[in-house]
Amino acid sequence: EFIPFEDAFGNEILDPVTGQQLGVEVGTPALVNDVYLLERFRVSLTQGRGRTTATLNVRYDNRDYASSNLDSVDAVGDVILRRSLTPKTTGDLRLKYWDHREDHPDGQDFDEYSARVGFRYRVAERTTIGLYYIYTERTSNIPAQNFDEGRINLRLGISL
């Protein structure tokens, strides 16, 4: 999952050279007493016009463990459309696909689709509040891991 960096006003921080959104990617390695070789490919393209920004993110991670059979492959792609609705309000739509494969007999393989829609409002100079609806559907080779859910997230951001 990509977690964007924000400034004190709740606005995304962009790389001054590339113009792309800065943030950190949180992966999903297995927690074991082993080391792995990570082959990673990432690309992020952002295009802005007026008050609207579109971002395409693609990530491919191949984890090859040295002594255990926990090898895994993750392929993730998402599209984010963001629009400044007022000087203090931003709306966004995110569509995401995640393909996860584990290369061992008891491993979990799944396909996950999600959609997020919501807005963020700057309440004060260092405070934002956001309201998001997120729908996620996962299909797994492990029947107990199949699910679909709808969530409503209320986020409060305070910068010190």
PDB file of all heavy atoms in Angstrom, residues 1 25 27-28 38-42 57-63 72-78 94 96-102 108-113:
ATOM      1  N   GLU A   1       0.847  -1.174   0.000  1.00  0.00           N
ATOM      2  CA  GLU A   1       0.000   0.000   0.000  1.00  0.00           C
ATOM      3  C   GLU A   1       0.886   1.229   0.000  1.00  0.00           C
ATOM      4  O   GLU A   1       1.860   1.321   0.720  1.00  0.00           O
ATOM      5  CB  GLU A   1      -0.902  -0.010   1.233  1.00  0.00           C
ATOM      6  CG  GLU A   1      -1.780   1.194   1.305  1.00  0.00           C
ATOM      7  CD  GLU A   1      -2.716   1.147   2.510  1.00  0.00           C
ATOM      8  OE1 GLU A   1      -2.738   0.161   3.229  1.00  0.00           O
ATOM      9  OE2 GLU A   1      -3.403   2.141   2.698  1.00  0.00           O
ATOM     10  N   GLU A  25       6.044   3.076   0.436  1.00  0.00           N
ATOM     11  CA  GLU A  25       5.327   1.862   0.051  1.00  0.00           C
ATOM     12  C   GLU A  25       5.459   0.837   1.167  1.00  0.00           C
ATOM     13  O   GLU A  25       6.558   0.526   1.609  1.00  0.00           O
ATOM     14  CB  GLU A  25       5.919   1.291  -1.239  1.00  0.00           C
ATOM     15  CG  GLU A  25       5.149   0.162  -1.821  1.00  0.00           C
ATOM     16  CD  GLU A  25       3.847   0.590  -2.465  1.00  0.00           C
ATOM     17  OE1 GLU A  25       3.774   1.683  -3.028  1.00  0.00           O
ATOM     18  OE2 GLU A  25       2.882  -0.183  -2.393  1.00  0.00           O
ATOM     19  N   GLY A  27       5.013  -2.938   2.129  1.00  0.00           N
ATOM     20  CA  GLY A  27       4.881  -4.243   1.490  1.00  0.00           C
ATOM     21  C   GLY A  27       4.342  -5.290   2.438  1.00  0.00           C
ATOM     22  O   GLY A  27       3.930  -4.996   3.552  1.00  0.00           O
ATOM     23  N   THR A  28       4.364  -6.553   1.985  1.00  0.00           N
ATOM     24  CA  THR A  28       3.795  -7.637   2.787  1.00  0.00           C
ATOM     25  C   THR A  28       4.731  -8.844   2.860  1.00  0.00           C
ATOM     26  O   THR A  28       4.345  -9.945   2.499  1.00  0.00           O
ATOM     27  CB  THR A  28       2.456  -8.098   2.191  1.00  0.00           C
ATOM     28  OG1 THR A  28       2.719  -8.518   0.842  1.00  0.00           O
ATOM     29  CG2 THR A  28       1.415  -7.023   2.213  1.00  0.00           C
ATOM     30  N   LEU A  38      14.910  -9.351  -2.900  1.00  0.00           N
ATOM     31  CA  LEU A  38      13.733  -8.652  -3.392  1.00  0.00           C
ATOM     32  C   LEU A  38      14.037  -8.039  -4.744  1.00  0.00           C
ATOM     33  O   LEU A  38      14.950  -7.226  -4.884  1.00  0.00           O
ATOM     34  CB  LEU A  38      13.311  -7.553  -2.405  1.00  0.00           C
ATOM     35  CG  LEU A  38      12.170  -6.636  -2.848  1.00  0.00           C
ATOM     36  CD1 LEU A  38      10.886  -7.426  -3.067  1.00  0.00           C
ATOM     37  CD2 LEU A  38      11.956  -5.539  -1.821  1.00  0.00           C
ATOM     38  N   GLU A  39      13.289  -8.471  -5.743  1.00  0.00           N
ATOM     39  CA  GLU A  39      13.340  -7.838  -7.061  1.00  0.00           C
ATOM     40  C   GLU A  39      12.117  -6.946  -7.136  1.00  0.00           C
ATOM     41  O   GLU A  39      10.985  -7.428  -7.001  1.00  0.00           O
ATOM     42  CB  GLU A  39      13.300  -8.887  -8.166  1.00  0.00           C
ATOM     43  CG  GLU A  39      14.494  -9.802  -8.160  1.00  0.00           C
ATOM     44  CD  GLU A  39      14.350 -10.932  -9.162  1.00  0.00           C
ATOM     45  OE1 GLU A  39      13.272 -11.064  -9.800  1.00  0.00           O
ATOM     46  OE2 GLU A  39      15.295 -11.711  -9.305  1.00  0.00           O
ATOM     47  N   ARG A  40      12.327  -5.658  -7.341  1.00  0.00           N
ATOM     48  CA  ARG A  40      11.211  -4.710  -7.285  1.00  0.00           C
ATOM     49  C   ARG A  40      11.247  -3.794  -8.508  1.00  0.00           C
ATOM     50  O   ARG A  40      12.293  -3.301  -8.898  1.00  0.00           O
ATOM     51  CB  ARG A  40      11.300  -3.880  -6.020  1.00  0.00           C
ATOM     52  CG  ARG A  40      10.246  -2.789  -5.943  1.00  0.00           C
ATOM     53  CD  ARG A  40      10.258  -2.116  -4.607  1.00  0.00           C
ATOM     54  NE  ARG A  40       9.500  -2.962  -3.695  1.00  0.00           N
ATOM     55  CZ  ARG A  40       9.404  -2.737  -2.391  1.00  0.00           C
ATOM     56  NH1 ARG A  40      10.016  -1.726  -1.843  1.00  0.00           N
ATOM     57  NH2 ARG A  40       8.693  -3.540  -1.640  1.00  0.00           N
ATOM     58  N   PHE A  41      10.081  -3.595  -9.057  1.00  0.00           N
ATOM     59  CA  PHE A  41       9.898  -2.638 -10.147  1.00  0.00           C
ATOM     60  C   PHE A  41       8.742  -1.740  -9.761  1.00  0.00           C
ATOM     61  O   PHE A  41       7.688  -2.212  -9.341  1.00  0.00           O
ATOM     62  CB  PHE A  41       9.579  -3.367 -11.468  1.00  0.00           C
ATOM     63  CG  PHE A  41       9.171  -2.426 -12.562  1.00  0.00           C
ATOM     64  CD1 PHE A  41      10.124  -1.708 -13.259  1.00  0.00           C
ATOM     65  CD2 PHE A  41       7.842  -2.248 -12.878  1.00  0.00           C
ATOM     66  CE1 PHE A  41       9.750  -0.835 -14.263  1.00  0.00           C
ATOM     67  CE2 PHE A  41       7.458  -1.376 -13.881  1.00  0.00           C
ATOM     68  CZ  PHE A  41       8.415  -0.670 -14.583  1.00  0.00           C
ATOM     69  N   ARG A  42       8.934  -0.440  -9.903  1.00  0.00           N
ATOM     70  CA  ARG A  42       7.870   0.528  -9.618  1.00  0.00           C
ATOM     71  C   ARG A  42       7.881   1.613 -10.666  1.00  0.00           C
ATOM     72  O   ARG A  42       8.943   2.057 -11.099  1.00  0.00           O
ATOM     73  CB  ARG A  42       8.098   1.222  -8.285  1.00  0.00           C
ATOM     74  CG  ARG A  42       7.820   0.423  -7.108  1.00  0.00           C
ATOM     75  CD  ARG A  42       7.930   1.314  -5.909  1.00  0.00           C
ATOM     76  NE  ARG A  42       8.305   0.493  -4.789  1.00  0.00           N
ATOM     77  CZ  ARG A  42       8.470   0.929  -3.594  1.00  0.00           C
ATOM     78  NH1 ARG A  42       8.325   2.194  -3.334  1.00  0.00           N
ATOM     79  NH2 ARG A  42       8.790   0.122  -2.631  1.00  0.00           N
ATOM     80  N   ASN A  57      -0.086   4.172 -10.698  1.00  0.00           N
ATOM     81  CA  ASN A  57       0.990   3.513  -9.970  1.00  0.00           C
ATOM     82  C   ASN A  57       1.003   2.036 -10.333  1.00  0.00           C
ATOM     83  O   ASN A  57      -0.051   1.394 -10.330  1.00  0.00           O
ATOM     84  CB  ASN A  57       0.790   3.635  -8.456  1.00  0.00           C
ATOM     85  CG  ASN A  57       0.830   5.064  -7.985  1.00  0.00           C
ATOM     86  OD1 ASN A  57       1.793   5.780  -8.227  1.00  0.00           O
ATOM     87  ND2 ASN A  57      -0.224   5.497  -7.324  1.00  0.00           N
ATOM     88  N   VAL A  58       2.183   1.490 -10.606  1.00  0.00           N
ATOM     89  CA  VAL A  58       2.350   0.070 -10.890  1.00  0.00           C
ATOM     90  C   VAL A  58       3.536  -0.415 -10.066  1.00  0.00           C
ATOM     91  O   VAL A  58       4.579   0.245 -10.017  1.00  0.00           O
ATOM     92  CB  VAL A  58       2.604  -0.193 -12.388  1.00  0.00           C
ATOM     93  CG1 VAL A  58       2.889  -1.660 -12.636  1.00  0.00           C
ATOM     94  CG2 VAL A  58       1.431   0.285 -13.225  1.00  0.00           C
ATOM     95  N   ARG A  59       3.361  -1.567  -9.403  1.00  0.00           N
ATOM     96  CA  ARG A  59       4.430  -2.132  -8.576  1.00  0.00           C
ATOM     97  C   ARG A  59       4.466  -3.644  -8.786  1.00  0.00           C
ATOM     98  O   ARG A  59       3.436  -4.302  -8.836  1.00  0.00           O
ATOM     99  CB  ARG A  59       4.180  -1.824  -7.104  1.00  0.00           C
ATOM    100  CG  ARG A  59       5.189  -2.450  -6.172  1.00  0.00           C
ATOM    101  CD  ARG A  59       4.975  -2.037  -4.722  1.00  0.00           C
ATOM    102  NE  ARG A  59       3.671  -2.337  -4.191  1.00  0.00           N
ATOM    103  CZ  ARG A  59       3.369  -3.415  -3.474  1.00  0.00           C
ATOM    104  NH1 ARG A  59       4.280  -4.322  -3.246  1.00  0.00           N
ATOM    105  NH2 ARG A  59       2.166  -3.590  -3.003  1.00  0.00           N
ATOM    106  N   TYR A  60       5.683  -4.182  -8.891  1.00  0.00           N
ATOM    107  CA  TYR A  60       5.896  -5.621  -8.998  1.00  0.00           C
ATOM    108  C   TYR A  60       6.997  -5.990  -8.014  1.00  0.00           C
ATOM    109  O   TYR A  60       8.106  -5.453  -8.069  1.00  0.00           O
ATOM    110  CB  TYR A  60       6.303  -6.003 -10.424  1.00  0.00           C
ATOM    111  CG  TYR A  60       6.648  -7.459 -10.583  1.00  0.00           C
ATOM    112  CD1 TYR A  60       5.653  -8.400 -10.801  1.00  0.00           C
ATOM    113  CD2 TYR A  60       7.962  -7.896 -10.506  1.00  0.00           C
ATOM    114  CE1 TYR A  60       5.965  -9.742 -10.943  1.00  0.00           C
ATOM    115  CE2 TYR A  60       8.287  -9.235 -10.646  1.00  0.00           C
ATOM    116  CZ  TYR A  60       7.286 -10.149 -10.856  1.00  0.00           C
ATOM    117  OH  TYR A  60       7.597 -11.476 -10.991  1.00  0.00           O
ATOM    118  N   ASP A  61       6.704  -6.884  -7.060  1.00  0.00           N
ATOM    119  CA  ASP A  61       7.678  -7.352  -6.071  1.00  0.00           C
ATOM    120  C   ASP A  61       7.793  -8.867  -6.172  1.00  0.00           C
ATOM    121  O   ASP A  61       6.788  -9.564  -6.098  1.00  0.00           O
ATOM    122  CB  ASP A  61       7.234  -7.012  -4.636  1.00  0.00           C
ATOM    123  CG  ASP A  61       7.298  -5.538  -4.337  1.00  0.00           C
ATOM    124  OD1 ASP A  61       8.011  -4.812  -5.049  1.00  0.00           O
ATOM    125  OD2 ASP A  61       6.626  -5.103  -3.381  1.00  0.00           O
ATOM    126  N   ASN A  62       9.030  -9.350  -6.297  1.00  0.00           N
ATOM    127  CA  ASN A  62       9.303 -10.781  -6.304  1.00  0.00           C
ATOM    128  C   ASN A  62      10.250 -11.060  -5.138  1.00  0.00           C
ATOM    129  O   ASN A  62      11.393 -10.612  -5.153  1.00  0.00           O
ATOM    130  CB  ASN A  62       9.935 -11.199  -7.631  1.00  0.00           C
ATOM    131  CG  ASN A  62      10.168 -12.688  -7.708  1.00  0.00           C
ATOM    132  OD1 ASN A  62       9.761 -13.444  -6.836  1.00  0.00           O
ATOM    133  ND2 ASN A  62      10.840 -13.118  -8.761  1.00  0.00           N
ATOM    134  N   ARG A  63       9.757 -11.757  -4.118  1.00  0.00           N
ATOM    135  CA  ARG A  63      10.573 -12.091  -2.945  1.00  0.00           C
ATOM    136  C   ARG A  63      11.027 -13.541  -3.055  1.00  0.00           C
ATOM    137  O   ARG A  63      10.210 -14.450  -3.079  1.00  0.00           O
ATOM    138  CB  ARG A  63       9.775 -11.894  -1.659  1.00  0.00           C
ATOM    139  CG  ARG A  63       9.514 -10.451  -1.346  1.00  0.00           C
ATOM    140  CD  ARG A  63       8.774 -10.299  -0.022  1.00  0.00           C
ATOM    141  NE  ARG A  63       8.509  -8.911   0.247  1.00  0.00           N
ATOM    142  CZ  ARG A  63       7.453  -8.249  -0.201  1.00  0.00           C
ATOM    143  NH1 ARG A  63       6.555  -8.863  -0.934  1.00  0.00           N
ATOM    144  NH2 ARG A  63       7.297  -6.978   0.083  1.00  0.00           N
ATOM    145  N   SER A  72       7.279 -15.263  -2.843  1.00  0.00           N
ATOM    146  CA  SER A  72       5.999 -14.641  -3.193  1.00  0.00           C
ATOM    147  C   SER A  72       6.193 -13.598  -4.288  1.00  0.00           C
ATOM    148  O   SER A  72       7.290 -13.065  -4.474  1.00  0.00           O
ATOM    149  CB  SER A  72       5.354 -13.984  -1.967  1.00  0.00           C
ATOM    150  OG  SER A  72       6.128 -12.884  -1.535  1.00  0.00           O
ATOM    151  N   VAL A  73       5.116 -13.336  -4.993  1.00  0.00           N
ATOM    152  CA  VAL A  73       5.081 -12.325  -6.043  1.00  0.00           C
ATOM    153  C   VAL A  73       3.853 -11.466  -5.820  1.00  0.00           C
ATOM    154  O   VAL A  73       2.750 -11.986  -5.613  1.00  0.00           O
ATOM    155  CB  VAL A  73       5.033 -12.970  -7.450  1.00  0.00           C
ATOM    156  CG1 VAL A  73       4.862 -11.906  -8.513  1.00  0.00           C
ATOM    157  CG2 VAL A  73       6.265 -13.813  -7.708  1.00  0.00           C
ATOM    158  N   ASP A  74       4.042 -10.150  -5.837  1.00  0.00           N
ATOM    159  CA  ASP A  74       2.942  -9.190  -5.737  1.00  0.00           C
ATOM    160  C   ASP A  74       2.974  -8.284  -6.949  1.00  0.00           C
ATOM    161  O   ASP A  74       4.023  -7.714  -7.275  1.00  0.00           O
ATOM    162  CB  ASP A  74       3.080  -8.323  -4.475  1.00  0.00           C
ATOM    163  CG  ASP A  74       2.793  -9.084  -3.212  1.00  0.00           C
ATOM    164  OD1 ASP A  74       1.639  -9.478  -3.027  1.00  0.00           O
ATOM    165  OD2 ASP A  74       3.723  -9.288  -2.405  1.00  0.00           O
ATOM    166  N   ALA A  75       1.840  -8.138  -7.592  1.00  0.00           N
ATOM    167  CA  ALA A  75       1.673  -7.180  -8.681  1.00  0.00           C
ATOM    168  C   ALA A  75       0.494  -6.284  -8.306  1.00  0.00           C
ATOM    169  O   ALA A  75      -0.610  -6.778  -8.057  1.00  0.00           O
ATOM    170  CB  ALA A  75       1.407  -7.898 -10.000  1.00  0.00           C
ATOM    171  N   VAL A  76       0.748  -4.985  -8.230  1.00  0.00           N
ATOM    172  CA  VAL A  76      -0.264  -4.034  -7.764  1.00  0.00           C
ATOM    173  C   VAL A  76      -0.339  -2.886  -8.760  1.00  0.00           C
ATOM    174  O   VAL A  76       0.683  -2.376  -9.215  1.00  0.00           O
ATOM    175  CB  VAL A  76       0.087  -3.481  -6.363  1.00  0.00           C
ATOM    176  CG1 VAL A  76      -0.991  -2.537  -5.871  1.00  0.00           C
ATOM    177  CG2 VAL A  76       0.321  -4.605  -5.370  1.00  0.00           C
ATOM    178  N   GLY A  77      -1.542  -2.467  -9.060  1.00  0.00           N
ATOM    179  CA  GLY A  77      -1.737  -1.298  -9.907  1.00  0.00           C
ATOM    180  C   GLY A  77      -2.907  -0.487  -9.399  1.00  0.00           C
ATOM    181  O   GLY A  77      -3.900  -1.050  -8.930  1.00  0.00           O
ATOM    182  N   ASP A  78      -2.774   0.823  -9.451  1.00  0.00           N
ATOM    183  CA  ASP A  78      -3.908   1.659  -9.086  1.00  0.00           C
ATOM    184  C   ASP A  78      -3.920   2.939  -9.897  1.00  0.00           C
ATOM    185  O   ASP A  78      -2.906   3.379 -10.428  1.00  0.00           O
ATOM    186  CB  ASP A  78      -3.982   1.932  -7.581  1.00  0.00           C
ATOM    187  CG  ASP A  78      -2.861   2.806  -7.042  1.00  0.00           C
ATOM    188  OD1 ASP A  78      -1.945   3.153  -7.795  1.00  0.00           O
ATOM    189  OD2 ASP A  78      -2.913   3.150  -5.859  1.00  0.00           O
ATOM    190  N   ARG A  94     -10.133   6.321  -6.231  1.00  0.00           N
ATOM    191  CA  ARG A  94      -9.001   5.411  -6.421  1.00  0.00           C
ATOM    192  C   ARG A  94      -9.529   4.035  -6.779  1.00  0.00           C
ATOM    193  O   ARG A  94     -10.381   3.491  -6.088  1.00  0.00           O
ATOM    194  CB  ARG A  94      -8.178   5.319  -5.151  1.00  0.00           C
ATOM    195  CG  ARG A  94      -7.016   4.353  -5.265  1.00  0.00           C
ATOM    196  CD  ARG A  94      -6.278   4.230  -3.950  1.00  0.00           C
ATOM    197  NE  ARG A  94      -5.108   3.389  -4.098  1.00  0.00           N
ATOM    198  CZ  ARG A  94      -4.425   2.907  -3.086  1.00  0.00           C
ATOM    199  NH1 ARG A  94      -4.771   3.198  -1.853  1.00  0.00           N
ATOM    200  NH2 ARG A  94      -3.388   2.141  -3.290  1.00  0.00           N
ATOM    201  N   LYS A  96      -8.038   0.110  -7.538  1.00  0.00           N
ATOM    202  CA  LYS A  96      -6.814  -0.651  -7.287  1.00  0.00           C
ATOM    203  C   LYS A  96      -7.029  -2.134  -7.576  1.00  0.00           C
ATOM    204  O   LYS A  96      -8.093  -2.674  -7.294  1.00  0.00           O
ATOM    205  CB  LYS A  96      -6.403  -0.470  -5.826  1.00  0.00           C
ATOM    206  CG  LYS A  96      -5.167  -1.238  -5.417  1.00  0.00           C
ATOM    207  CD  LYS A  96      -4.863  -1.001  -3.938  1.00  0.00           C
ATOM    208  CE  LYS A  96      -3.727  -1.857  -3.460  1.00  0.00           C
ATOM    209  NZ  LYS A  96      -3.489  -1.693  -2.026  1.00  0.00           N
ATOM    210  N   TYR A  97      -5.974  -2.767  -8.108  1.00  0.00           N
ATOM    211  CA  TYR A  97      -5.942  -4.216  -8.307  1.00  0.00           C
ATOM    212  C   TYR A  97      -4.657  -4.748  -7.695  1.00  0.00           C
ATOM    213  O   TYR A  97      -3.578  -4.176  -7.876  1.00  0.00           O
ATOM    214  CB  TYR A  97      -5.978  -4.564  -9.807  1.00  0.00           C
ATOM    215  CG  TYR A  97      -5.769  -6.037 -10.059  1.00  0.00           C
ATOM    216  CD1 TYR A  97      -6.762  -6.955  -9.752  1.00  0.00           C
ATOM    217  CD2 TYR A  97      -4.583  -6.511 -10.596  1.00  0.00           C
ATOM    218  CE1 TYR A  97      -6.563  -8.309  -9.967  1.00  0.00           C
ATOM    219  CE2 TYR A  97      -4.377  -7.856 -10.819  1.00  0.00           C
ATOM    220  CZ  TYR A  97      -5.369  -8.753 -10.493  1.00  0.00           C
ATOM    221  OH  TYR A  97      -5.168 -10.092 -10.698  1.00  0.00           O
ATOM    222  N   TRP A  98      -4.759  -5.875  -6.950  1.00  0.00           N
ATOM    223  CA  TRP A  98      -3.597  -6.494  -6.304  1.00  0.00           C
ATOM    224  C   TRP A  98      -3.650  -7.991  -6.562  1.00  0.00           C
ATOM    225  O   TRP A  98      -4.603  -8.662  -6.202  1.00  0.00           O
ATOM    226  CB  TRP A  98      -3.629  -6.199  -4.814  1.00  0.00           C
ATOM    227  CG  TRP A  98      -2.519  -6.775  -3.986  1.00  0.00           C
ATOM    228  CD1 TRP A  98      -1.365  -7.373  -4.413  1.00  0.00           C
ATOM    229  CD2 TRP A  98      -2.454  -6.785  -2.557  1.00  0.00           C
ATOM    230  NE1 TRP A  98      -0.592  -7.750  -3.346  1.00  0.00           N
ATOM    231  CE2 TRP A  98      -1.246  -7.401  -2.182  1.00  0.00           C
ATOM    232  CE3 TRP A  98      -3.305  -6.341  -1.556  1.00  0.00           C
ATOM    233  CZ2 TRP A  98      -0.865  -7.581  -0.867  1.00  0.00           C
ATOM    234  CZ3 TRP A  98      -2.926  -6.521  -0.243  1.00  0.00           C
ATOM    235  CH2 TRP A  98      -1.720  -7.121   0.095  1.00  0.00           C
ATOM    236  N   ASP A  99      -2.589  -8.519  -7.187  1.00  0.00           N
ATOM    237  CA  ASP A  99      -2.450  -9.946  -7.457  1.00  0.00           C
ATOM    238  C   ASP A  99      -1.308 -10.460  -6.585  1.00  0.00           C
ATOM    239  O   ASP A  99      -0.172  -9.998  -6.702  1.00  0.00           O
ATOM    240  CB  ASP A  99      -2.139 -10.168  -8.938  1.00  0.00           C
ATOM    241  CG  ASP A  99      -1.944 -11.624  -9.279  1.00  0.00           C
ATOM    242  OD1 ASP A  99      -2.653 -12.480  -8.720  1.00  0.00           O
ATOM    243  OD2 ASP A  99      -1.057 -11.916 -10.110  1.00  0.00           O
ATOM    244  N   HIS A 100      -1.601 -11.390  -5.679  1.00  0.00           N
ATOM    245  CA  HIS A 100      -0.600 -11.929  -4.749  1.00  0.00           C
ATOM    246  C   HIS A 100      -0.493 -13.438  -4.963  1.00  0.00           C
ATOM    247  O   HIS A 100      -1.505 -14.138  -4.966  1.00  0.00           O
ATOM    248  CB  HIS A 100      -1.008 -11.632  -3.303  1.00  0.00           C
ATOM    249  CG  HIS A 100      -0.087 -12.229  -2.286  1.00  0.00           C
ATOM    250  ND1 HIS A 100       1.107 -11.636  -1.933  1.00  0.00           N
ATOM    251  CD2 HIS A 100      -0.169 -13.364  -1.551  1.00  0.00           C
ATOM    252  CE1 HIS A 100       1.702 -12.381  -1.019  1.00  0.00           C
ATOM    253  NE2 HIS A 100       0.957 -13.443  -0.773  1.00  0.00           N
ATOM    254  N   ARG A 101       0.739 -13.940  -5.108  1.00  0.00           N
ATOM    255  CA  ARG A 101       0.986 -15.371  -5.302  1.00  0.00           C
ATOM    256  C   ARG A 101       2.113 -15.809  -4.367  1.00  0.00           C
ATOM    257  O   ARG A 101       3.140 -15.134  -4.271  1.00  0.00           O
ATOM    258  CB  ARG A 101       1.393 -15.683  -6.743  1.00  0.00           C
ATOM    259  CG  ARG A 101       0.362 -15.273  -7.783  1.00  0.00           C
ATOM    260  CD  ARG A 101      -0.847 -16.180  -7.756  1.00  0.00           C
ATOM    261  NE  ARG A 101      -1.881 -15.682  -8.642  1.00  0.00           N
ATOM    262  CZ  ARG A 101      -3.082 -15.315  -8.258  1.00  0.00           C
ATOM    263  NH1 ARG A 101      -3.426 -15.376  -7.007  1.00  0.00           N
ATOM    264  NH2 ARG A 101      -3.970 -14.876  -9.110  1.00  0.00           N
ATOM    265  N   GLU A 102       1.908 -16.954  -3.693  1.00  0.00           N
ATOM    266  CA  GLU A 102       2.935 -17.539  -2.838  1.00  0.00           C
ATOM    267  C   GLU A 102       3.289 -18.906  -3.397  1.00  0.00           C
ATOM    268  O   GLU A 102       2.415 -19.697  -3.717  1.00  0.00           O
ATOM    269  CB  GLU A 102       2.436 -17.650  -1.396  1.00  0.00           C
ATOM    270  CG  GLU A 102       2.185 -16.303  -0.763  1.00  0.00           C
ATOM    271  CD  GLU A 102       1.637 -16.383   0.644  1.00  0.00           C
ATOM    272  OE1 GLU A 102       1.494 -17.506   1.187  1.00  0.00           O
ATOM    273  OE2 GLU A 102       1.338 -15.325   1.205  1.00  0.00           O
ATOM    274  N   GLN A 108      -0.955 -18.673   0.155  1.00  0.00           N
ATOM    275  CA  GLN A 108      -2.196 -18.001  -0.242  1.00  0.00           C
ATOM    276  C   GLN A 108      -1.980 -17.274  -1.560  1.00  0.00           C
ATOM    277  O   GLN A 108      -1.024 -16.531  -1.723  1.00  0.00           O
ATOM    278  CB  GLN A 108      -2.632 -17.009   0.826  1.00  0.00           C
ATOM    279  CG  GLN A 108      -3.929 -16.312   0.451  1.00  0.00           C
ATOM    280  CD  GLN A 108      -4.375 -15.300   1.491  1.00  0.00           C
ATOM    281  OE1 GLN A 108      -3.632 -14.935   2.378  1.00  0.00           O
ATOM    282  NE2 GLN A 108      -5.602 -14.853   1.365  1.00  0.00           N
ATOM    283  N   ASP A 109      -2.864 -17.497  -2.478  1.00  0.00           N
ATOM    284  CA  ASP A 109      -2.915 -16.759  -3.731  1.00  0.00           C
ATOM    285  C   ASP A 109      -4.234 -16.009  -3.738  1.00  0.00           C
ATOM    286  O   ASP A 109      -5.267 -16.567  -3.392  1.00  0.00           O
ATOM    287  CB  ASP A 109      -2.883 -17.702  -4.944  1.00  0.00           C
ATOM    288  CG  ASP A 109      -1.598 -18.518  -5.018  1.00  0.00           C
ATOM    289  OD1 ASP A 109      -0.598 -18.116  -4.402  1.00  0.00           O
ATOM    290  OD2 ASP A 109      -1.612 -19.550  -5.703  1.00  0.00           O
ATOM    291  N   PHE A 110      -4.188 -14.727  -4.118  1.00  0.00           N
ATOM    292  CA  PHE A 110      -5.454 -13.991  -4.186  1.00  0.00           C
ATOM    293  C   PHE A 110      -5.396 -12.876  -5.210  1.00  0.00           C
ATOM    294  O   PHE A 110      -4.325 -12.418  -5.596  1.00  0.00           O
ATOM    295  CB  PHE A 110      -5.869 -13.443  -2.810  1.00  0.00           C
ATOM    296  CG  PHE A 110      -4.949 -12.408  -2.216  1.00  0.00           C
ATOM    297  CD1 PHE A 110      -4.984 -11.081  -2.639  1.00  0.00           C
ATOM    298  CD2 PHE A 110      -4.059 -12.758  -1.225  1.00  0.00           C
ATOM    299  CE1 PHE A 110      -4.157 -10.139  -2.078  1.00  0.00           C
ATOM    300  CE2 PHE A 110      -3.223 -11.819  -0.652  1.00  0.00           C
ATOM    301  CZ  PHE A 110      -3.269 -10.498  -1.080  1.00  0.00           C
ATOM    302  N   ASP A 111      -6.573 -12.479  -5.639  1.00  0.00           N
ATOM    303  CA  ASP A 111      -6.793 -11.300  -6.456  1.00  0.00           C
ATOM    304  C   ASP A 111      -7.682 -10.379  -5.639  1.00  0.00           C
ATOM    305  O   ASP A 111      -8.696 -10.823  -5.097  1.00  0.00           O
ATOM    306  CB  ASP A 111      -7.499 -11.643  -7.766  1.00  0.00           C
ATOM    307  CG  ASP A 111      -6.642 -12.529  -8.655  1.00  0.00           C
ATOM    308  OD1 ASP A 111      -5.508 -12.122  -8.952  1.00  0.00           O
ATOM    309  OD2 ASP A 111      -7.102 -13.618  -9.034  1.00  0.00           O
ATOM    310  N   GLU A 112      -7.302  -9.121  -5.564  1.00  0.00           N
ATOM    311  CA  GLU A 112      -8.083  -8.169  -4.765  1.00  0.00           C
ATOM    312  C   GLU A 112      -8.347  -6.918  -5.587  1.00  0.00           C
ATOM    313  O   GLU A 112      -7.442  -6.370  -6.206  1.00  0.00           O
ATOM    314  CB  GLU A 112      -7.312  -7.814  -3.485  1.00  0.00           C
ATOM    315  CG  GLU A 112      -8.069  -6.889  -2.571  1.00  0.00           C
ATOM    316  CD  GLU A 112      -7.323  -6.638  -1.275  1.00  0.00           C
ATOM    317  OE1 GLU A 112      -7.128  -7.596  -0.504  1.00  0.00           O
ATOM    318  OE2 GLU A 112      -6.926  -5.478  -1.054  1.00  0.00           O
ATOM    319  N   TYR A 113      -9.610  -6.506  -5.589  1.00  0.00           N
ATOM    320  CA  TYR A 113     -10.039  -5.292  -6.257  1.00  0.00           C
ATOM    321  C   TYR A 113     -10.579  -4.341  -5.194  1.00  0.00           C
ATOM    322  O   TYR A 113     -11.268  -4.775  -4.277  1.00  0.00           O
ATOM    323  CB  TYR A 113     -11.163  -5.576  -7.256  1.00  0.00           C
ATOM    324  CG  TYR A 113     -10.812  -6.592  -8.309  1.00  0.00           C
ATOM    325  CD1 TYR A 113     -11.026  -7.950  -8.099  1.00  0.00           C
ATOM    326  CD2 TYR A 113     -10.251  -6.185  -9.513  1.00  0.00           C
ATOM    327  CE1 TYR A 113     -10.702  -8.883  -9.070  1.00  0.00           C
ATOM    328  CE2 TYR A 113      -9.923  -7.116 -10.487  1.00  0.00           C
ATOM    329  CZ  TYR A 113     -10.155  -8.461 -10.259  1.00  0.00           C
ATOM    330  OH  TYR A 113      -9.828  -9.373 -11.215  1.00  0.00           O
TER     331      TYR A 113
END
